[in-house]
């Protein structure tokens, strides 16, 4: 673990603890509700922005990025740690939520105190439907939001876009991947597996776009 | 031993402002005053050498290495103080220290505490509860606590009232003389440099106007007052820069030239005199 990763964990300690508590609660009550995904999106956004803001990695112009650039951190490492920690947080959250969903459905641990439409679906199809819908909404809101701070630097805007738009896609990839693995373990039907496989492949393609975006942004970040 | 800082042919563009072909050398163990009026390019130069602003061309080497070559190593050996607080203001001083210290291998906790006490700063207070003077002191403490080989100060006294400025400078001189190896001190308040600078570099319009040893420079020039009727065109051309008063002309010229003139009053110039008249000359 490098200095930047330790720094990420240190400044987000309180948020990460809250995140763990929330994950435990969501898991006990059935796992991957849509509300859990929204909570997750907000949580990861808070942690990511906190990482950037504490080091003053923000400002209305490019030369206002003082503290982060005076610290003995290689910019490449600073940037990579940002992506790495957010993806790691995503992986852990989605694994926990997916496990919670599976356990909830198989063993009936789910406590239906929320309206039906907020409960995790028992089938891959409706789960995907829920998540696709919410993802679209979240993406549109964030696309509009990330366009608002038009006075901020291109780098900050790119960082915001990574945090707010692309990371939820990675979440989807992980979430579905874990569901597929769970499906395999539980020996679900062939149709289920084929459908899930196609979904995961599509999401991997989206993740590849994310990868290209991250790489291009890294180049911009290191040279500006 | 390599130079602490070596800048060659540095050019950078920031909006409409440009740094033009800057060469500068800071030798080990020296204190360089970096002077120029507001908007001359002091902060842009500092941000460019620190790689905060991208450079267009030229090379910048700290301790013989470029920032790109050894970013972590060079930056861990440089302490920077800007004219405004760069730390998160909603954090307590101690929290900021704990957060930032993790990045420095040589961060000295005991020294940080000692300096906090010396500057009478409460480590439990949030930075936004500090006055402007206290915030500058805190930046100095943070910059010195990791034992830098080079301290870069960008107008640390700007915005301080005279009392806070004097207090701040006294403590700073005390620390610099005991502690720091090399200093690049940017300011437009040149009297800040009178006590400590070994070299003076002046920048104007993004170009270096001169860079030389302070004492040699002060010996080289004379502050001259000459009566109006004796100030003909030949005499005016001898001035580095001058302004007209009701009784005559006052300005700076080379000491040897002043000695060749009759009936002139001369005095030893200050760094400020040279900066002011040099700026006037550039304007004229």
């Amino acid at each position: 673990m490098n200095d930047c990763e330790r720094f990420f964990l240190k400044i987000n300690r309180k948020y990460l603890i809250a995140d763990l508590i929330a994950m435990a609660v969501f898991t006990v009550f059935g796992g991957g509700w849509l509300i859990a995904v929204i909570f997750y999106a907000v949580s990861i956004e808070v942690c990511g922005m906190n990482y950037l803001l504490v080091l003053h990695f923000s400002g209305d112009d490019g030369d206002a990025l003082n503290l982060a650039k005076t610290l003995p951190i290689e910019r490449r490492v600073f940037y990579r740690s940002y992506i790495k920690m957010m993806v790691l947080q995503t992986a852990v959250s989605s694994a926990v939520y997916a496990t919670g969903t599976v356990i909830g459905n198989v063993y009936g641990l789910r406590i239906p105190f929320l309206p039906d439409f907020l409960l995790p679906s028992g089938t891959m199809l409706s789960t995907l439907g829920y998540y696709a819908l919410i993802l679209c909404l979240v993406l549109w809101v964030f696309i509009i939001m990330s366009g608002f701070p038009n006075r901020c630097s291109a780098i900050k805007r790119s960082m915001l876009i990574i945090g707010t738009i692309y990371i939820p896609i990675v979440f989807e990839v992980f979430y579905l991947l874990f569901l597929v693995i769970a499906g395999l373990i539980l020996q679900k039907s062939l149709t289920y597996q084929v459908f899930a496989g196609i979904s995961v492949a599509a999401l991997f393609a989206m993740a590849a776009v994310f990868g290209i975006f991250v790489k291009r942004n890294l180049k911009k970040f290191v040279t500006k | 031993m390599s130079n602490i800082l070596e800048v060659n042919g540095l050019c950078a563009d920031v909006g409409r402002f440009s740094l033009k072909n800057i060469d500068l050398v800071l030798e080990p163990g020296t204190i360089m005053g970096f002077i120029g009026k507001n908007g001359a390019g002091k902060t842009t130069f500092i941000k460019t050498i620190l790689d905060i602003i991208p450079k267009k061309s030229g090379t910048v080497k700290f301790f013989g290495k470029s920032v790109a070559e050894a970013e972590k190593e060079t930056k861990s050996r440089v302490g920077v103080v800007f004219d405004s607080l760069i730390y998160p203001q909603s954090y307590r001083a101690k929290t900021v220290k704990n957060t930032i210290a993790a990045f420095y291998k040589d961060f000295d906790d005991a020294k940080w505490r000692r300096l906090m006490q010396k500057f009478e700063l409460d480590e439990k207070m949030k930075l936004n509860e500090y006055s402007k003077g206290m915030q500058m002191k805190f930046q100095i403490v943070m910059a010195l606590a990791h034992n830098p080989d080079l301290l870069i100060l960008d107008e640390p006294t700007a915005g301080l009232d005279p009392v806070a400025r004097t207090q701040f400078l006294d403590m700073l001189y005390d620390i610099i003389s005991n502690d720091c190896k090399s200093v690049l001190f940017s300011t437009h308040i040149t009297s800040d440099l009178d006590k400590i600078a070994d070299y003076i570099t002046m920048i104007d319009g993004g170009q270096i106007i001169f860079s030389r040893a302070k004492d040699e420079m002060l010996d080289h020039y004379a502050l001259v007052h000459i009566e109006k009727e004796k100030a003909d065109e030949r005499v005016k051309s001898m001035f580095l820069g001058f302004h007209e008063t009701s009784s005559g002309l006052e300005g700076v010229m080379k000491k040897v030239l002043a000695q060749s003139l009759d009936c002139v009053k001369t005095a030893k110039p200050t760094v400020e005199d040279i900066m002011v008249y040099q700026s006037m000359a550039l304007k004229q």
Side-chain angles (χ1 to χ4, degrees):
Chain A
M1 192 176 276
N2 64 35
D3 289 343
C4 294
E5 287 154 15
R6 267 194 294 273
F7 171 74
F8 187 98
L9 294 177
K10 196 170 182 180
I11 56 159
N12 288 319
R13 202 172 43 223
K14 284 178 196 165
Y15 302 116
L16 292 170
I17 290 168
D19 216 15
L20 285 173
I21 294 167
M23 273 194 267
V25 171
F26 284 126
T27 305
V28 167
F29 292 120
W33 298 330
L34 295 182
I35 200 167
V37 178
I38 294 165
F39 179 86
Y40 151 79
V42 171
S43 158
I44 200 151
E45 178 68 7
V46 167
C47 292
M49 286 314 289
N50 205 24
Y51 177 78
L52 301 178
L53 291 174
V54 169
L55 290 183
H56 255 229
F57 199 84
S58 64
D60 292 338
D61 49 46
D63 66 351
L65 316 173
N66 289 331
L67 181 56
K69 290 190 177 179
T70 58
L71 288 174
I73 320 164
E74 284 176 40
R75 286 194 212 178
R76 201 174 288 272
V77 174
F78 179 79
Y79 179 87
R80 280 184 181 157
S81 301
Y82 173 75
I83 301 296
K84 190 175 160 186
M85 294 312 283
M86 286 174 80
V87 171
L88 188 70
Q89 200 182 347
T90 306
V92 172
S93 306
S94 53
V96 172
Y97 290 148
T99 311
T101 306
V102 172
I103 293 171
N105 285 321
V106 172
Y107 298 103
L109 291 174
R110 196 173 65 210
I111 298 173
F113 69 93
L114 285 174
D116 281 350
F117 71 93
L118 284 176
L119 291 172
S121 167
T123 68
M124 175 62 82
L125 186 64
S126 51
T127 302
L128 269 178
Y130 279 142
Y131 282 87
L133 180 68
I134 195 71
L135 188 64
C136 287
L137 289 173
V138 169
L139 288 186
W140 277 107
V141 169
F142 285 144
I143 285 168
I144 293 164
M145 276 172 64
S146 65
F148 276 135
N150 54 2
R151 282 178 66 233
C152 77
S153 73
I155 296 171
K156 185 186 169 192
R157 203 155 47 237
S158 303
M159 293 289 213
L160 268 170
I161 290 168
I162 288 173
T164 53
I165 296 174
Y166 285 94
I167 291 287
I169 294 173
V170 180
F171 177 88
E172 283 283 284
V173 173
F174 280 117
Y175 185 81
L176 291 170
L177 190 63
F178 286 119
L179 281 185
V180 168
I181 294 165
L184 282 170
I185 294 166
L186 297 171
Q187 295 177 327
K188 293 266 184 177
S189 71
L190 183 65
T191 322
Y192 177 98
Q193 294 302 339
V194 169
F195 186 80
I198 293 167
S199 307
V200 170
L203 283 164
F204 265 117
M206 288 165 81
V209 174
F210 168 68
I212 293 165
F213 185 83
V214 165
K215 208 173 169 185
R216 281 178 59 183
N217 204 52
L218 169 66
K219 205 172 169 188
K220 209 188 295 178
F221 178 73
V222 172
T223 51
K224 277 196 176 176
Chain B
M1 195 180 178
S2 58
N3 288 316
I4 294 287
L5 172 65
E6 209 175 311
V7 180
N8 287 308
L10 181 69
C11 296
D13 290 332
V14 184
R16 289 181 189 171
F17 185 80
S18 302
L19 291 180
K20 295 157 202 146
N21 206 28
I22 291 185
D23 294 325
L24 187 81
V25 169
L26 180 62
E27 291 165 8
T30 57
I31 297 173
M32 178 177 281
F34 193 60
I35 62 171
K37 60 188 182 193
N38 287 330
K42 300 186 295 295
T43 301
T44 305
F45 172 75
I46 287 174
K47 285 184 173 176
T48 309
I49 60 170
L50 289 170
D51 213 17
I52 292 169
I53 293 174
K55 61 179 187 286
K56 205 166 107 188
S57 60
T59 58
V60 179
K61 286 185 175 179
F62 288 98
F63 319 106
K65 289 175 184 170
S66 70
V67 176
E69 209 179 315
E71 190 170 3
K72 193 171 175 176
E73 188 203 326
T74 51
K75 287 189 175 175
S76 65
R77 294 176 67 186
V78 178
V80 189
V81 176
F82 285 102
D83 59 350
S84 55
L85 197 65
I86 58 170
Y87 301 106
Q89 301 206 16
S90 55
Y91 279 43
R92 292 178 200 286
K94 195 178 174 182
T95 312
V96 172
K97 186 265 292 180
N98 289 338
T99 308
I100 302 300
F103 290 102
Y104 291 95
K105 204 172 61 186
D106 297 325
F107 197 93
D108 186 341
D109 231 39
K111 185 176 180 181
W112 184 84
R113 255 191 210 101
R114 210 169 49 242
L115 288 169
M116 288 291 282
Q117 277 172 2
K118 191 179 171 77
F119 280 132
E120 294 170 345
L121 296 171
D122 183 352
E123 60 182 64
K124 286 176 189 151
M125 275 171 79
K126 287 183 178 175
L127 298 190
N128 55 15
E129 291 166 354
Y130 280 174
S131 68
K132 170 93 181 165
M134 289 162 89
Q135 289 182 348
M136 294 313 295
K137 287 176 186 175
F138 180 74
Q139 287 208 87
I140 288 277
V141 173
M142 289 299 292
L144 290 170
H146 65 272
N147 298 311
D149 292 320
L150 168 63
L151 186 63
I152 297 178
L153 306 167
D154 183 19
E155 310 217 29
T157 55
L160 297 187
D161 65 66
V163 178
R165 195 173 135 247
T166 310
Q167 266 182 355
F168 174 79
L169 285 171
D170 283 344
M171 287 183 175
L172 182 67
Y173 298 151
D174 187 31
I175 290 163
I176 285 174
S177 51
N178 293 325
D179 206 47
C180 230
K181 288 158 191 162
S182 302
V183 181
L184 178 67
F185 192 149
S186 156
T187 183
H188 64 270
I189 309 168
T190 51
S191 57
D192 291 355
L193 303 167
D194 287 342
K195 284 188 202 169
I196 51 165
D198 300 309
Y199 287 87
I200 300 288
T201 296
M202 183 177 167
I203 187 169
D204 196 87
Q207 293 181 78
I208 297 291
I209 306 303
F210 63 78
S211 183
R212 57 196 306 182
K214 183 187 79 182
D215 294 338
E216 183 195 302
M217 182 184 77
L218 296 180
D219 285 343
H220 188 68
Y221 290 105
L223 182 66
V224 174
H225 181 88
I226 189 162
E227 287 167 16
K228 220 172 206 170
E229 53 274 15
K230 286 174 186 162
D232 55 22
E233 285 308 311
R234 187 187 67 88
V235 172
K236 282 182 182 176
S237 69
M238 291 160 79
F239 278 98
L240 178 67
F242 63 88
H243 78 280
E244 288 182 35
T245 65
S246 55
S247 58
L249 249 63
E250 191 172 280
V252 167
M253 68 169 69
K254 285 180 184 168
K255 201 186 247 177
V256 282
L257 294 175
Q259 282 163 352
S260 69
L261 294 171
D262 294 328
C263 304
V264 293
K265 288 177 194 164
T266 61
K268 192 171 180 175
T270 60
V271 175
E272 186 169 324
D273 292 328
I274 292 172
M275 184 181 113
V276 168
Y277 288 112
Q278 181 76 66
S279 297
M280 278 183 180
L282 291 167
K283 219 174 173 183
Q284 282 159 7

